[in-house]
């Protein structure tokens, strides 16, 4: 028996189906709009992260402006710490007499091509070649603190290349070239010269002294000034040569660089830097990162950041080093901890909410500029992530940073710091009475624990005293 439905039932069913389809369509459109809006917001924030990172890097190119004798259109920049290298080929004149010009130029081009590759590897700026002389400088156009060390490393690599070339020439019973290198560190002025053919150049006493270091050296040697030696002596072995008079400057010491300190070189041979060398160099480079990030936090965070400001960042960097030393971390671990502490609140430059995420994004952008490896950046981001309020440390380094970030809980100035945090939260996260805030702080401190033995020794007793002081304060509040 076939059941026949009334016609109006079928009509209602069709209408119902149409309504369901319409509702699904509206829901789909709403979800699509929400996704578009969230994507747009994330894109906007991502662009902000990249812009912040670009501005951090760009600050190194904002040097003081002076004007040369060529007129106001020829702007120059003054740098306070640049390391200049002069290299001069010895035996060039003798070999010129024996080689045809085309072969000579080809060999010289190959030599300078190799030098170009070496200076580029160390982030050094080639200035010019004059005949058989080669000139380069570290510390410009981007300022850095490591340029004396990097220039000496480049000089060693140049001499090692020349030594290998010499051995090959001797096997072939051919004449060979030797290299005399001079290095000095100090202030320079840089700028563009020429009218039709524009080129980059540098001037100043530092350039002249570096040239004197080269002319006073010996073939196969690297002759550096006493000024440069003071900046690189923790990395290299040397031979003292005495003093050289400098016109209007008195005298300067001279040293031959003999190689890298054995414990900082591969297999102790003094030729190539090992991992410990690189970590020590990164600790110096950290100073450049620190100056850059702290300047941005100081200049770009509004006064409404009464707690998460440059002072808090400095406190955490300082405390992470104190706790880290107490916990016996090694040099690379200390570098990672200090870098994570420096950048853990940088995300506030982008957004107050979920700032840790943007701190990690900025870390990726910034640290690549300063020679941090991908593995190091990944570890630093894991450390930054543990500073989230709800996150728990899963290893020793995370425990150290977590304790350093909340070090203020056991400090004598806890109450005023807590009040600064309260003011900031009032501004960005809505209203809360001071009494409610103090209740939350009491609950937080009562349940908080320090993870490292060093932090427990330094702050645990004081933290308990602060808890008592908060409870007394709460009694006085209406």
């Amino acid at each position: 028996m076939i059941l026949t439905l009334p016609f109006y039932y079928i009509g209602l069913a069709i209408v119902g189906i149409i309504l369901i389809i319409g509702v699904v369509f509206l829901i789909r459109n709403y979800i699509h709009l929400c996704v578009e809006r969230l994507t747009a917001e994330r894109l906007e924030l991502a662009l902000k992260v990249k812009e912040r990172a670009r501005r951090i890097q760009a600050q190194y190119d904002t040097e003081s402006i002076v004007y040369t004798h060529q007129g106001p259109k020829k702007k120059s920049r003054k740098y306070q710490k640049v390391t200049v290298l002069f290299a001069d080929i010895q035996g060039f004149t003798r070999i010129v007499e024996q080689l045809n010009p085309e072969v000579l130029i080809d060999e010289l081009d190959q030599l300078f091509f190799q030098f170009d590759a070496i200076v580029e590897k160390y982030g050094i700026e080639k200035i010019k070649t004059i005949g058989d002389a080669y000139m380069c400088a570290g510390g410009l156009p981007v300022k850095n603190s490591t340029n004396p060390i990097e220039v000496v490393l480049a000089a060693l690599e140049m001499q090692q290349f020349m030594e290998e070339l010499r051995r090959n020439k001797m096997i072939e019973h051919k004449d060979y070239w030797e290299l005399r290198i001079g290095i000095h560190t100090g202030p320079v002025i840089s700028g563009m010269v020429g009218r039709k053919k524009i080129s980059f150049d540098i001037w100043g006493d530092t350039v002249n002294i570096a040239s004197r270091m080269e002319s006073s050296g010996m073939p196969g040697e690297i002759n550096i000034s006493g000024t440069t030696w003071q900046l690189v002596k923790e990395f290299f072995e040397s031979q003292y040569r005495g003093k050289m008079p400098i016109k209007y400057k008195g005298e300067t010491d001279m040293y031959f660089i003999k190689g890298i300190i054995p414990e900082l070189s591969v297999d102790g041979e003094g030729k190539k830097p090992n991992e410990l060398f690189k970590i020590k160099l990164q600790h110096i480079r950290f100073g450049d990162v620190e100056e850059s990030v702290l300047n941005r936090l100081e200049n770009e965070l509004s006064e409404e950041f009464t707690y998460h400001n440059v002072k808090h960042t400095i406190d955490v960097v300082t405390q992470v080093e104190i706790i880290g030393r107490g916990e016996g971390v090694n040099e690379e671990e200390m570098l990672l901890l200090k870098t994570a502490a420096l950048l853990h609140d940088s995300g506030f430059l982008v957004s107050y909410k979920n700032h840790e995420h943007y701190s990690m994004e900025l870390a990726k952008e910034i640290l690549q500029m300063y020679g941090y490896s991908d593995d190091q950046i990944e570890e630093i981001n894991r450390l930054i992530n543990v500073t989230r309020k709800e996150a728990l440390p899963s290893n020793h380094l995370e425990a150290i940073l977590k304790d350093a970030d909340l070090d203020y809980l056991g400090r004598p100035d806890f109450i005023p710091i807590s009040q600064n945090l309260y003011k900031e939260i009032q501004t960005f996260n809505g209203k809360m009475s001071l009494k409610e805030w103090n209740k939350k702080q009491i609950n937080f401190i009562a349940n908080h624990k320090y993870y490292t033995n060093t932090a427990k020794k330094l702050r645990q007793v004081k933290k308990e005293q602060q808890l008592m002081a908060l409870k007394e304060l709460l009694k006085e509040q209406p």
Side-chain angles (χ1 to χ4, degrees):
M1 177 178 174
I2 299 173
L3 181 64
T4 304
L5 294 174
F7 178 76
Y8 60 85
Y9 276 17
I10 296 172
L12 288 172
I14 293 171
V15 171
I17 291 169
I18 292 171
L19 286 173
I20 291 170
I21 292 171
V23 169
V24 170
F25 181 77
L26 288 172
I27 292 172
R28 188 179 68 83
N29 280 353
Y30 176 74
I31 293 172
H32 181 71
L33 288 171
C34 289
V35 169
E36 279 190 342
R37 185 176 65 183
L38 288 171
T39 302
E41 289 175 354
R42 289 183 64 82
L43 178 61
E44 183 182 358
L45 287 170
L47 291 173
K48 285 182 180 179
V49 169
K50 289 184 176 293
E51 175 63 14
R52 294 294 186 187
R54 186 196 65 76
R55 291 174 68 183
I56 286 170
Q57 173 64 9
Q59 78 162 335
Y60 285 112
D61 202 27
T62 56
E63 306 298 328
S64 55
I65 304 297
V66 297
Y67 293 87
T68 70
H69 63 280
Q70 296 168 312
K73 292 184 179 179
K74 300 291 184 181
K75 290 183 180 179
S76 297
R77 289 176 176 163
K78 186 172 184 179
Y79 296 82
Q80 293 300 326
K81 184 183 178 183
V82 169
T83 302
V84 180
L85 179 152
F86 274 95
D88 188 65
I89 296 172
Q90 305 300 294
F92 181 80
T93 304
R94 183 183 73 253
I95 296 175
V96 165
E97 298 171 354
Q98 300 174 13
L99 292 178
N100 71 54
E102 289 184 4
V103 173
L104 176 70
I105 296 300
D106 184 58
E107 288 198 8
L108 196 59
D109 282 346
Q110 290 182 29
L111 191 65
F112 286 159
F113 178 80
Q114 184 65 30
F115 289 177
D116 287 348
I118 292 171
V119 302
E120 183 177 354
K121 171 183 173 181
Y122 290 104
I124 299 165
E125 187 77 10
K126 177 183 177 180
I127 305 301
K128 58 187 172 183
T129 57
I130 307 172
D132 60 346
Y134 188 93
M135 179 185 176
C136 61
L140 53 76
V142 177
K143 292 194 306 179
N144 64 72
S145 301
T146 54
N147 66 80
I149 300 160
E150 289 155 346
V151 169
V152 173
L153 280 175
L156 280 171
E157 202 163 320
M158 288 177 180
Q159 290 292 22
Q160 289 164 14
F161 171 75
M162 295 299 292
E163 175 60 22
E164 183 181 349
L165 199 63
R166 184 184 72 84
R167 287 196 299 267
N168 293 336
K169 291 287 186 181
M170 289 180 70
I171 292 171
E172 298 171 359
H173 302 289
K174 294 181 179 179
D175 286 333
Y176 54 86
W177 291 337
E178 291 184 293
L179 195 66
R180 197 169 61 190
I181 295 178
I183 297 172
H184 178 61
T185 305
V188 303
I189 293 174
S190 73
M192 308 305 292
V193 296
R195 293 185 178 180
K196 293 183 179 179
K197 187 177 180 180
I198 304 297
S199 62
F200 180 76
D201 208 346
I202 57 176
W203 308 273
D205 290 338
T206 298
V207 177
N208 299 331
I209 294 172
S211 179
R212 289 287 303 277
M213 288 293 118
E214 179 272 311
S215 61
S216 302
M218 294 177 61
E221 299 287 355
I222 303 166
N223 192 36
I224 71 171
S225 68
T227 301
T228 302
W229 170 242
Q230 291 300 319
L231 299 169
V232 304
K233 62 183 180 182
E234 293 182 7
F235 293 85
F236 303 98
E237 292 188 311
S238 73
Q239 174 190 335
Y240 181 64
R241 301 192 59 221
K243 296 181 181 294
M244 182 181 73
I246 302 292
K247 191 174 183 180
Y248 307 124
K249 298 288 181 180
E251 294 181 320
T252 183
D253 293 317
M254 295 188 297
Y255 297 82
F256 276 156
I257 291 292
K258 308 311 292 184
I260 301 169
I261 291 174
E263 58 265 31
L264 298 179
S265 64
V266 174
D267 299 326
E269 295 179 352
K271 293 183 178 181
K272 295 181 179 180
N274 62 15
E275 288 305 311
L276 181 57
F277 185 109
K278 295 173 184 176
I279 294 300
K280 285 176 67 70
L281 187 63
Q282 278 189 293
H283 273 284
I284 298 174
R285 195 176 286 127
F286 171 80
D288 294 332
V289 186
E290 184 176 43
E291 180 184 357
S292 172
V293 172
L294 293 181
N295 281 342
R296 292 298 167 185
L297 293 175
E298 179 73 27
N299 296 325
E300 295 183 27
L301 287 180
S302 72
E303 294 182 357
E304 293 173 328
F305 284 88
T306 50
Y307 175 79
H308 292 105
N309 50 31
V310 68
K311 183 180 183 302
H312 171 67
T313 297
I314 293 171
D315 285 345
V316 178
V317 172
T318 302
Q319 198 61 30
V320 88
E321 186 163 15
I322 292 171
I323 298 175
R325 296 298 178 201
E327 294 293 303
V329 302
N330 63 37
E331 289 301 310
E332 183 172 17
E333 289 171 335
M334 180 59 73
L335 174 70
L336 299 177
L337 282 168
K338 289 172 65 177
T339 307
L342 176 68
L343 289 164
H344 83 285
D345 278 347
S346 61
F348 282 116
L349 293 167
V350 181
S351 171
Y352 195 84
K353 292 182 179 180
N354 198 21
H355 73 274
E356 295 91 353
H357 169 76
Y358 299 107
S359 294
M360 291 187 282
E361 290 296 313
L362 278 170
K364 290 177 186 177
E365 295 282 346
I366 295 167
L367 297 180
Q368 289 175 348
M369 304 173 190
Y370 293 93
Y372 284 73
S373 70
D374 290 341
D375 288 343
Q376 287 175 329
I377 294 172
E378 186 177 342
E379 178 60 28
I380 287 165
N381 275 346
R382 280 196 291 266
L383 289 169
I384 291 173
N385 194 56
V386 84
T387 62
R388 294 180 188 273
K389 183 179 178 181
E390 69 282 359
L392 298 175
S394 61
N395 59 45
H396 193 207
L397 296 188
E398 290 178 4
I400 291 171
L401 183 57
K402 192 75 172 180
D403 283 352
D405 192 28
L406 295 175
D407 169 71
Y408 79 99
L409 298 177
R411 283 169 43 171
D413 55 351
F414 164 76
I415 297 295
I417 291 175
S418 175
Q419 289 173 346
N420 285 337
L421 180 55
Y422 169 68
K423 291 177 185 177
E424 182 177 300
I425 289 174
Q426 288 286 87
T427 301
F428 292 100
N429 276 350
K431 301 301 180 182
M432 178 192 306
S433 71
L434 187 56
K435 188 171 184 176
E436 289 175 321
W437 169 249
N438 285 331
K439 283 181 179 179
K440 288 189 70 172
Q441 286 290 82
I442 288 171
N443 183 60
F444 180 72
I445 295 174
N447 290 289
H448 170 267
K449 66 175 182 178
Y450 286 115
Y451 296 95
T452 63
N453 290 329
T454 304
K456 289 173 184 175
K457 291 175 184 176
L458 288 173
R459 300 302 187 198
Q460 186 63 36
V461 174
K462 286 287 185 183
K463 189 188 77 170
E464 292 168 1
Q465 292 175 1
Q466 301 301 347
L467 182 58
M468 294 173 61
L470 263 182
K471 289 178 178 178
E472 291 297 320
L473 187 63
L474 190 60
K475 290 178 183 178
E476 298 173 4
Q477 292 172 344

